[in-house]
């Protein structure tokens, strides 16, 4: 992905507590609801890093056996281009992301379009913890304990109609709060897309937390997509609109470099990106840069669950 640098803040100017503190009314509301018993076990303010806990039930069907990537790496080595191009930029700059109030509109080809507030999204379906393998097209990977529920639970609410064949995901643009959107590196807002059957697949997670807490801003607060069998860029952060559409949507990366970023972007060790072989990967937080790389798995290891979605398709052509 392109190289561009934002002015760096000196380490002494970083106040980590500020990164985390007091940013969510809905968390407080959920905490209050907890004390009044209105919501059962919902988030409480307060945890080691100052982010609210997000209770969930581990789903044993979705736990990869590799050790999870240390939390400190998951929250400080990120891609969120609205906040800069360096892996450390989102951790430094995403504290300005305005996450409340937040609304997610689900619209387009459906019988019952609706805008959901965060409080509603948090209650829509049981929160699960799922430990997914994540693979970035740049050649690194992580194992992350996400918290969320299948996107299908949300999509069913709006009753997709017969013309809905694809789903477009549109993310937040906050020019005053996002230093990166003044650059032309991508056509903002950051957009992604899935086929409807991919979006309805049980692995596709509408995600609101990680490591037992609500999402840090740099990981896509307050609500993002996680699609573990595809390269990381498909997992759009800070969603504001989910649109059911008839035609295949154009993603931001697909628009900027169609020969590099295909619509499907399934993890495939046999099909190289023009700039990166996809045969192997470096697991962040594991060993050192000199440690041997891991072999990348077809569909990132989720082939038994998703290969049937692509039966009969030429995956070199449909990369
Ligand atoms: N979503 C938005 N809105 N903006 C982005 O720049 N980057 C993508 C994806 N979602 C991105 C985004 C890329 S390239 C990757 S690899 C993953 O987020 C990284 O997610 P993580 O930082 O939580 O690991």
């Amino acid at each position: 992905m392109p190289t561009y640098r934002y002015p760096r803040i000196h380490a002494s100017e970083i106040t980590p507590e500020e990164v985390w503190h007091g940013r969510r009314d809905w968390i407080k509301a959920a905490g209050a609801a907890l004390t009044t018993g209105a919501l059962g076990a919902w988030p409480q303010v307060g945890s080691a890093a100052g982010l609210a806990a997000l209770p969930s039930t581990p789903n044993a069907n979705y736990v990869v056996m590799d050790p999870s990537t240390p939390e400190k790496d998951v929250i400080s080595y990120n891609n969120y281009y609205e906040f800069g191009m360096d892996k450390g930029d989102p951790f430094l700059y995403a504290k300005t992301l305005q996450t409340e109030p937040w609304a997610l509109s689900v619209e387009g080809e459906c019988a019952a379009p609706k805008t959901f507030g965060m409080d509603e999204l948090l209650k829509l379906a049981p929160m699960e913890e799922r430990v997914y393998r994540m693979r970035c097209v740049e050649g690194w990977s992580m194992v992350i304990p996400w918290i969320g529920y299948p996107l299908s639970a949300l999509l069913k609410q709006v009753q997709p109609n017969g013309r809905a064949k694809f789903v477009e995901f549109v993310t937040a643009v906050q020019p005053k709060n996002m230093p990166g959107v003044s650059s032309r590196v991508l056509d903002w807002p950051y957009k992604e897309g899935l086929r409807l059957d991919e979006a309805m697949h049980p692995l596709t997670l509408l995600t609101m937390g990680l490591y037992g807490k609500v999402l840090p801003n740099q990981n896509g607060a307050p609500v993002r997509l996680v699609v573990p069998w595809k390269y990381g860029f498909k997992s759009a952060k800070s969603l504001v609109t989910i649109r059911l559409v008839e035609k295949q949507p154009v993603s931001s990366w697909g628009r900027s470099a169609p020969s590099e970023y295909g619509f499907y972007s399934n993890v495939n060790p046999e099909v190289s990106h023009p700039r990166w072989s996809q045969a192997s990967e470096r697991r962040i937080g594991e060993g050192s840069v000199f440690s041997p790389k891991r072999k990348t798995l077809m569909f990132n290891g989720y082939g038994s669950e998703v290969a049937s979605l692509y039966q009969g398709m030429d995956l070199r052509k449909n990369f």
Side-chain angles (χ1 to χ4, degrees):
M1 290 180 174
T3 49
Y4 182 94
R5 281 176 185 269
Y6 289 91
R8 301 212 63 113
I9 293 179
H10 189 270
S12 64
E13 292 176 63
I14 304 160
T15 314
E17 281 304 302
E18 274 177 28
V19 176
W20 312 114
H21 254 320
R23 58 166 221 238
R24 315 255 167 94
D25 283 343
W26 58 266
I27 290 167
K28 287 181 205 134
L34 179 70
T35 49
T36 60
L39 290 173
W42 281 110
Q44 285 173 292
V45 177
S47 66
L51 276 186
L54 183 58
S56 62
T57 307
N59 186 331
N61 295 323
Y62 300 100
V63 177
V64 295
M65 284 306 145
D66 307 348
S68 291
T69 303
E71 186 179 357
K72 68 171 175 36
D73 296 316
V74 174
I75 67 171
S76 64
Y77 190 90
N78 303 100
N79 275 334
Y80 196 162
Y81 292 98
E82 289 86 332
F83 294 100
M85 304 292 297
D86 276 4
K87 300 289 173 257
D89 285 343
F91 176 82
L92 293 177
Y93 303 120
K95 62 187 168 202
T96 52
L97 177 71
Q98 202 68 47
T99 57
E100 59 187 56
W102 196 269
L104 173 58
S105 165
V106 189
E107 57 189 50
E109 298 293 353
C110 59
K114 184 175 167 172
T115 299
F116 297 82
M118 273 319 289
D119 46 352
E120 227 175 329
L121 285 180
L122 283 162
K123 286 182 283 180
L124 195 82
M127 283 288 178
E128 296 175 24
E129 181 177 70
R130 297 182 175 200
V131 185
Y132 280 168
R133 206 181 282 111
M134 304 298 291
R135 171 66 157 77
C136 179
V137 72
E138 295 163 327
W140 47 272
S141 63
M142 295 193 189
V143 173
I144 304 181
W146 299 110
I147 301 172
Y149 49 76
L151 175 67
S152 63
L154 178 67
L155 295 179
K156 281 178 196 158
Q157 296 271 320
V158 302
Q159 301 164 36
N161 66 31
R163 286 184 298 277
K165 301 282 187 303
F166 295 90
V167 187
E168 179 176 52
F169 300 89
V170 185
T171 75
V173 185
Q174 299 176 0
K176 284 204 188 109
N177 307 328
M178 294 173 157
V181 302
S182 59
S183 97
R184 310 291 302 264
V185 61
L186 279 178
D187 196 15
W188 313 106
Y190 191 101
K191 286 187 189 159
E192 259 308 335
L194 293 174
R195 227 168 50 190
L196 184 62
D197 58 347
E198 297 176 321
M200 296 296 282
H201 193 279
L203 274 171
T204 303
L205 207 65
L206 189 72
T207 304
M208 280 153 268
L210 61 81
Y211 262 112
K213 285 165 266 179
V214 297
L215 283 176
N217 287 356
Q218 62 272 30
N219 292 93
V223 56
R224 70 175 291 176
L225 186 66
V226 171
V227 194
W229 73 95
K230 293 176 180 280
Y231 294 114
F233 61 86
K234 297 297 282 183
S235 295
K237 296 177 168 180
S238 307
L239 296 170
V240 293
T241 306
I242 297 180
R243 196 173 289 129
L244 292 143
V245 293
E246 205 170 352
K247 297 210 172 78
Q248 184 173 299
V250 179
S251 71
S252 296
W253 287 111
R255 187 181 296 282
S256 80
S259 60
E260 298 190 20
Y261 304 103
F263 176 77
Y264 284 95
S265 294
N266 293 317
V267 174
N268 188 341
E270 286 160 24
V271 178
S272 293
H273 180 276
R275 282 179 283 148
W276 304 287
S277 155
Q278 300 299 348
S280 63
E281 64 200 52
R282 187 167 66 86
R283 182 65 52 81
I284 300 297
E286 188 179 73
S288 73
V289 283
F290 305 108
S291 302
K293 289 183 164 187
R294 286 173 174 262
K295 276 179 82 169
T296 290
L297 304 171
M298 186 64 200
F299 297 115
N300 206 21
Y302 295 97
S304 61
E305 285 140 286
V306 301
S308 60
L309 296 175
Y310 310 103
Q311 227 160 23
M313 279 176 70
D314 179 344
L315 296 180
R316 279 187 184 277
K317 237 157 93 189
N318 297 287
F319 61 96

